[in-house]
Amino acid sequence: MVTTGKLFVVSGPSGAGKGTLLARVLSAADNFALTVSATTRKPRKGEKDGVQYYFLSEEKFDELIRDDRLLEWASVHGAYYGTLKSEVKRHLAAGLNVVLEIDLQGARQIRAKMPEAVLIFIMPPSIEVLRSRLEKRGTESSEQITRRLETARLEIQSADEFDTVIVNDDLAVALAQLLQFVHSMHDTVTG
Ligand code: 5GP
């Protein structure tokens, strides 16, 4: 049987633990690849161009939109973020399952364009836990945290648009649920 990679979209509020969970999934399953998005956000301390993101000027980002090189894009918390078509194609061509870690607006665009994509929502146990995680992370100002919590409330209301919702209270439990889900989805493709 010919196997092709599947497209997974992972969304959820900032601070829900998407990054940590995905890093674990990627180290537990070698046939999954995470795409590197383009953004106009400034790099945080320790972030490198081409690793966490391709950090671009607004002019360069506009050029990507104009040249139709983005599969989806959105303005999130005052910056632009987008998935490069080339990144997705490269991984799918290598037979890998592709994981996009993108916001709700991007997830909706993927659902419309590629109905076969699998949408996963990572849910924080509560807004209070989210607030304390963002404060502990210390990468955003209190103004930015307030903005992210406002977005989080809206995102949580849309969780039922996703194929599955994983509540990230206990990391080990959430990881086990996520792995089980992606493997069950993957099995439906590879038989
Ligand atoms: P951060 O700045 O914390 O890395 O990411 C902020 C938000 O942007 C997160 O919700 C993240 O999922 C989203 N994001 C990252 N890359 C993309 C992308 O390529 N497209 C879209 N639509 N959202 C993205």
Side-chain angles (χ1 to χ4, degrees), residues 18 37 41 44 53 72 74 81-83 101-103 106 148:
K18 289 167 299 189
S37 293
R41 156 164 94 56
R44 293 183 190 128
Y53 287 103
E72 61 73 37
Y81 294 82
T83 304
E101 188 203 322
I102 60 178
D103 88 315
R148 282 174 185 240

Side-chain angles (χ1 to χ4, degrees), residues 1 27-28 34 58 65 88 91 125-126 129 147 155 160 182 188:
M1 179 178 178
S27 65
L34 188 66
E58 292 211 359
I65 298 173
V88 176
H91 294 309
S126 68
V129 170
R147 191 169 185 179
E155 286 172 326
D160 60 2
V182 295
T188 62

